[in-house]
Amino acid sequence: MKNKIGLTLVTIISLLQSCSKQEYVNIPKNADGSAYITTVASTTNTGITTLDDGFSVTATLPNAKAGDVMTTELLAQQIPAGGSAYQLLPITGTQKTVTVGSDLKATVTYTRAQALLVNPGDVVTVTYAGKTESALTSLTLAKATSVKGPLYGGTAVNIIRNAGAAYFDVTVAPKAAAYTGTVTVLKKNGIALAWSSASYAYGTKVPISGDDYAVGKDTMYYAFVSKVGNYNDTIKMTVFANTPLFQLTKSGTMVLGATTGGVNVLNNGTVKATDTLAILAIDAASLQVHAGSALRAGTSISFVPSTSAVYSTGNSQDIIALFDAGTASATIDPIAGVPVNIFKIVDGANTYYGILKITSVVPGTSVAYEYKIGSTYAQLAILK
């Protein structure tokens, strides 16, 4: 009995010793004995747009060797035979073989037709498979053409009737080569009307004006078309014409005898009543509002009485017409007079119309005001 127990203990000890020496994982090592850690495959691609015919993908394969052969294939969302839902499946006939170069890179090229890329937003997946390495990436068919606008001086504006011309910036950016063609612009002022068209050299700012809109029609439909070979790219836009309103509303207070006794109406900056930039200023005691006494040569302001209703409407066309039909004066009495007045500023070669409302008066001390100004896009580049 004792011999059997002794043999059993020897057997167990032998097994434990053999287990402690067993290597569960063989870790690849460098020459210096440190663990050999590989990097992960990566890819780059040319991208593809609606004006490109194909694309290329380059895979960097750090675990492959120069001369290794990789099999590439395209996959896309498709409904399999007999199925009812989309699945990511290989595209028939798209397997290719590419050889890994000395730089451990392999490049493959496919056409847009092979990749089943038809509409913007369509996606294709490219796979690489080999004995020691693999990689994959996805590409999305992007729009080649983009349109910004309407703009004036680089700033987005609303289209206003009779406010001058704004413009669209059209960018066409295929991946294969810089665009050198023309941009065809179609437009119509009403959904049921026929399109009119004009072609512009690429890089030309495409004009748009409130005068393009017929009376009673406030919607313009646009289509911007670029073309490379057999491919066309179209951007559609709808642009509304707005009632011609003054674009800026400013407010403040002129304080008698202070550094804020005058106002430069072009930027609503407060100045002394005797400053050369004081387009508006107030008098002592009576608080009469008029041009500053030292206003620079070539600049003047005059007023035509109006109403609060006209001020609220803010229609620049109507307000300008009312000024031209009225009798102008050089001063406003903010206490006994009319609290709303249309004004006209002549500043050298520039003329600005607006409408001024006296909002409150502290007798012998101050006049608070609000005004609307800016009836053309060009003025918006000057007025602040």
Side-chain angles (χ1 to χ4, degrees):
M1 186 69 175
K2 290 180 180 179
N3 289 337
K4 288 181 179 180
I5 293 171
L7 286 172
T8 301
L9 289 172
V10 170
T11 301
I12 292 171
I13 292 170
S14 177
L15 287 171
L16 289 172
Q17 288 176 338
S18 65
C19 288
S20 66
K21 294 179 181 178
Q22 181 177 349
E23 294 184 359
Y24 288 98
V25 180
N26 291 316
I27 301 175
K29 295 180 179 180
N30 296 310
D32 62 1
S34 60
Y36 176 70
I37 301 175
T38 61
T39 54
V40 179
S42 60
T43 62
T44 58
N45 63 75
T46 59
I48 184 168
T49 74
T50 44
L51 293 179
D52 291 302
D53 188 52
F55 61 89
S56 295
V57 176
T58 298
T60 300
L61 307 162
N63 302 312
K65 295 183 177 64
D68 282 357
V69 175
M70 307 292 293
T71 299
T72 66
E73 190 170 28
L74 300 181
L75 289 76
Q77 292 290 335
Q78 303 170 73
I79 297 178
S84 59
Y86 280 94
Q87 300 178 33
L88 187 63
L89 299 171
I91 299 175
T92 303
T94 60
Q95 280 197 356
K96 293 185 178 185
T97 56
V98 292
T99 302
V100 179
S102 59
D103 57 358
L104 300 185
K105 294 182 178 181
T107 299
V108 66
T109 298
Y110 286 100
T111 66
R112 182 170 159 184
Q114 289 173 317
L116 305 181
L117 296 173
V118 179
N119 300 309
D122 286 351
V123 179
V124 67
T125 298
V126 185
T127 65
Y128 286 74
K131 290 182 179 180
T132 60
E133 189 60 288
S134 64
L136 65 82
T137 190
S138 295
L139 292 89
T140 301
L141 184 64
K143 292 286 288 183
T145 306
S146 60
V147 180
K148 291 183 179 179
L151 306 171
Y152 188 90
T155 301
V157 295
N158 293 319
I159 292 302
I160 307 169
R161 292 180 183 272
N162 303 311
Y167 61 87
F168 297 101
D169 267 342
V170 183
T171 300
V172 186
K175 299 294 185 180
Y179 189 70
T180 57
T182 60
V183 175
T184 299
V185 180
L186 308 173
K187 68 179 182 180
K188 58 182 178 179
N189 189 201
I191 191 66
L193 299 180
W195 292 98
S196 63
S197 67
S199 291
Y200 298 86
Y202 181 56
T204 302
K205 296 183 184 301
V206 178
I208 176 174
S209 170
D211 292 332
D212 297 340
Y213 293 74
V215 175
K217 294 184 178 180
D218 60 1
T219 307
M220 189 75 73
Y221 299 90
Y222 278 90
F224 302 84
V225 183
S226 51
K227 183 177 181 180
V228 173
N230 294 322
Y231 295 110
N232 290 308
D233 195 24
T234 302
I235 296 288
K236 292 184 177 180
M237 293 181 68
T238 301
V239 183
F240 298 96
N242 296 276
T243 301
L245 303 176
F246 286 112
Q247 297 299 291
L248 302 174
T249 299
K250 304 291 182 177
S251 62
T253 302
M254 292 178 283
V255 180
L256 190 64
T259 56
T260 57
V263 179
N264 179 358
V265 180
L266 302 186
N267 64 8
N268 196 34
T270 53
V271 295
K272 291 182 178 180
T274 55
D275 194 287
T276 58
L277 297 177
I279 296 175
L280 285 182
I282 53 177
D283 268 341
S286 67
L287 296 182
Q288 292 282 316
V289 178
H290 52 74
S293 58
L295 183 59
R296 64 182 179 270
T299 303
S300 63
I301 186 168
S302 52
F303 308 94
V304 169
S306 189
T307 66
S308 296
V310 172
Y311 184 89
S312 297
T313 302
N315 186 308
S316 59
Q317 265 187 308
D318 293 346
I319 289 170
I320 292 170
L322 287 170
F323 182 95
D324 292 340
T327 300
S329 63
T331 61
I332 296 172
D333 184 344
I335 298 175
V338 178
V340 175
N341 282 264
I342 304 168
F343 62 82
K344 176 181 179 181
I345 298 171
V346 176
D347 184 36
N350 298 315
T351 299
Y352 306 91
Y353 289 88
I355 186 165
L356 172 72
K357 177 172 66 174
I358 303 302
T359 57
S360 67
V361 176
V362 178
T365 302
S366 64
V367 174
Y369 61 86
E370 182 180 284
Y371 65 93
K372 298 179 181 181
I373 194 171
S375 57
T376 68
Y377 303 128
Q379 291 178 2
L380 298 181
I382 301 171
L383 301 171
K384 305 298 180 184

